[in-house]
Structure formats: C-alpha cells, structure tokens
Amino acid sequence: MRIVAIALAILLLSTAHAAESAALNIVLKDGHSVELSPSLLAGLTRQQVVSTSHGKTAKHEGYNLREILKAAGVDPVEGLRGKQLAGYLTVTATDGYTVVFALAELDPTLGNTQVVLADSQDGQPLHASDGPWRLVVPGDQRAARPVRQVASIRVSEQAITKRQRVRSFVCRAECVKMTDR
C-alpha cells in the first residue's frame, strides 16, 4: 500500500512539473508578456504537419504560430506595410538555441511560411527532450529552424533610421564597384 502511495505521489509531482514547464510567455513589442495558456489556445484550431529532420519523418500537431500571435495581441500579423515590415520574432530554446523569423515571413500576403508550435509528435505528447513545445517549420528546405524545448518567444521591431538606409545604399554601391574591378 505504501509503495502505491509513493508511486502516486511521484506521478502527481511529475504531472505538476510538466504543467509548470508547459507555461510559455510571449513577450510583445511594448515589453508586456502574454502567457500561452489553455484559455488563449482554446479558440485556435489545431494543425497537423509532417516534417523531416535529421532523416526522420514525423507528424507533429499543434497551433499555427501566426494564429497564436494574433490571439496574444500582436497586431498586425497580416497585411504588413511600411515600418511594420521591420518586425521580427525571436524563438529561444532552453539550451539557448535561437532562431529569428521576420513577421513578413508569417504574413499570408507576403511569405506565408507555415510555422507550427507543436505539443505532440506521432499522436503522443512530446518527449521531455523535445517539449513541452517544439517549433516546426515544414516548408524549410533544410531543418535548421525547428526549435526543441521552446522557452520564449519575443516580438520586436527594428527601427530603421535614415542613416542606416544611407549606409546600406553606400555599402551596396561599394560592393558593386568592387565586383566591377
């Protein structure tokens, strides 16, 4: 009886730990944070995608990242124009691995890149070494941007000044001159 009680306690603690580790915050441009909670995800449609990484093909299920950003209050995510095109998001794993997506990549009128924040693989919850959240980018030619154990998503905007535009133009002009030689 005592063994059953201990086993039950361990199971409850591991479940509570998994629930804690599943919490993920999205940091918005203004610095406010939105928790990726069941209530935020409730109205979103789950998606299934098939992707290949390191020679292994798997079916992942989760939520479209563009829809998560909309639900979190990132505005706009579609029909980006002007300065909005400088927006980007950084996705970081618990081990520090980081990838960057331009918001324009996710905009269905521009890049329309499908990115899924998955919580299951082949019908099972993600293994601890991959989850609780994994970013999957099925359309990439090389699987370099999937992120295991997603720890944070940060939305930012690069302010491009007139001086930066001039430097970019000067660099392009110098590069053209160098290739003409």
Side-chain angles (χ1 to χ4, degrees), residues 19 22-24 35-44 63 133:
L24 175 65
E35 184 178 346
L36 187 62
S37 63
S39 61
L40 179 75
L41 298 172
L44 303 181
Y63 303 93
W133 296 105

Side-chain angles (χ1 to χ4, degrees), residues 26-50:
I26 299 172
V27 181
L28 305 177
K29 292 177 195 176
D30 62 6
H32 287 92
S33 186
V34 176
E35 184 178 346
L36 187 62
S37 63
S39 61
L40 179 75
L41 298 172
L44 303 181
T45 304
R46 292 183 62 79
Q47 293 187 344
Q48 289 185 352
V49 294
V50 176

